[in-house]
Amino acid sequence: MSCQAELRGLGAINDELSRLGVKLVGVSVDPPETSRAVVRRHRLPFPILADTQRSLIRELGLLHVGGGPGGSDIALPAHVLIDSDRNIRWKYVADRIQNRLSEDRVLERVRAALANDPQ
Amino acid sequence: MNSGPAPNARNKPRFILALAGLLLVLLSPALWALTLDVNFLQRTALPMWVTMAFGLACTVLAALWDVRKRTRIVALLCTVLVVLSVPGYLVLTRLPTPTGFATANRVPDFTLTDHLGRETTLSGLVDGGSLLLVFYRGHW
């Protein structure tokens, strides 16, 4: 599944995630103006953060060195669910370029992670 | 005595069949790219494998019917391409194993600019709830 299709799919489950108390945020190395066009084109109901310095991506170990156009460094496709204390409750990273979780699977995993809430 | 078309005339469509098979094998990755939005097809690359197998079958059949060298060369070329495409696919689609991601259990606070140019902090986003960060490869 392409990244754009993935984002559209996530947009479709945004309301359901909100009901679960989960805010959705995209992160990529794209500058804000590129992401603004993506948000507008796909009418995404969630913001996209511009990690142009790759700081957060690197911090989480999600840097794909030389994986982007012209050998630039980009993010690996990944999902990270965090709670209000910034603890990671569920995470997923793609192992193949075409592998993405479907939005239904994402919802399923988020629900499962929240159900295991020790608090 | 008329025993049908001359051997050359009979062999021509067979050679064309072999070439068509080769073309299918060469075009099969593009067919895969056309199914980008269909999760199952994209994940399994099924359109590519099916087209490739069909293309290979065409050239092999053509080479069985048409013993001329050029048809057999096309069939051989096709076979080599299909055989090489399996390890090629496995290597080219593989993403590197992330370092440190498996052991990460907390996300450090950060300040990043969102698509509207607003400064956004993690603590501001979380705000007592949960947050799903979706990292993607970017738009290019």
Side-chain angles (χ1 to χ4, degrees):
Chain A
M1 182 158 53
S2 72
C3 286
Q4 309 299 315
E6 183 189 24
L7 293 176
R8 276 198 304 275
L10 288 167
I13 60 163
N14 188 55
D15 285 350
E16 190 54 39
L17 287 172
S18 297
R19 271 193 284 280
L20 295 169
V22 179
K23 210 182 276 181
L24 188 57
V25 178
V27 184
S28 80
V29 300
D30 289 341
E33 49 271 29
T34 306
S35 297
R36 199 179 311 149
V38 172
V39 167
R40 202 171 292 161
R41 184 170 330 119
H42 301 297
R43 297 197 177 90
L44 300 180
F46 56 88
I48 293 178
L49 303 180
D51 191 6
T52 50
Q53 302 298 313
R54 283 83 169 150
S55 52
L56 175 62
I57 292 166
R58 198 173 281 122
E59 192 96 44
L60 287 172
L62 288 171
L63 196 69
H64 184 183
V65 178
S72 59
D73 300 342
I74 57 170
L76 286 165
H79 295 266
V80 181
L81 177 70
I82 52 180
D83 62 19
S84 51
D85 295 324
R86 307 208 308 262
N87 293 315
I88 298 178
R89 305 299 302 275
W90 165 67
K91 57 190 167 185
Y92 164 85
V93 62
D95 58 348
R96 292 210 171 269
I97 217 157
Q98 75 275 24
N99 286 5
R100 300 287 186 281
L101 291 181
S102 70
E103 55 270 24
D104 296 338
R105 187 61 64 85
V106 171
L107 211 47
E108 203 174 276
R109 297 287 169 84
V110 168
R111 278 206 187 99
L114 294 177
N116 289 334
D117 200 333
Q119 290 162 11
Chain B
M1 199 168 72
N2 187 359
S3 58
N8 273 351
R10 274 208 311 269
N11 281 329
K12 199 174 177 190
R14 292 166 189 172
F15 182 63
I16 290 171
L17 178 68
L19 285 181
L22 178 64
L23 194 67
L24 278 178
V25 168
L26 292 172
L27 288 178
S28 56
L31 281 171
W32 180 36
L34 286 177
T35 60
L36 274 174
D37 287 358
V38 186
N39 199 356
F40 172 74
L41 296 181
Q42 178 65 8
R43 206 178 55 242
T44 55
L46 209 59
M48 180 175 76
W49 299 124
V50 170
T51 314
M52 212 178 258
F54 185 68
L56 182 64
C58 287
T59 58
V60 170
L61 270 181
L64 287 176
W65 287 334
D66 176 5
V67 293
R68 284 178 310 168
K69 209 172 177 181
R70 60 181 188 178
T71 310
R72 299 212 144 171
I73 287 173
V74 171
L76 183 69
L77 181 66
C78 241
T79 311
V80 170
L81 279 175
V82 171
V83 167
L84 286 180
S85 67
V86 176
Y89 165 84
L90 291 175
V91 170
L92 290 175
T93 62
R94 176 128 202 93
L95 287 171
T97 308
T99 47
F101 184 63
T103 52
N105 48 29
R106 222 172 129 79
V107 176
D109 201 7
F110 59 75
T111 306
L112 291 173
T113 308
D114 76 359
H115 65 289
L116 295 173
R118 299 173 299 201
E119 293 274 299
T120 310
T121 61
L122 177 61
S123 40
L125 283 169
V126 169
D127 193 28
S130 299
L131 186 68
L132 180 60
L133 291 167
V134 176
F135 294 83
Y136 69 100
R137 293 167 58 79
H139 181 73
W140 28 290

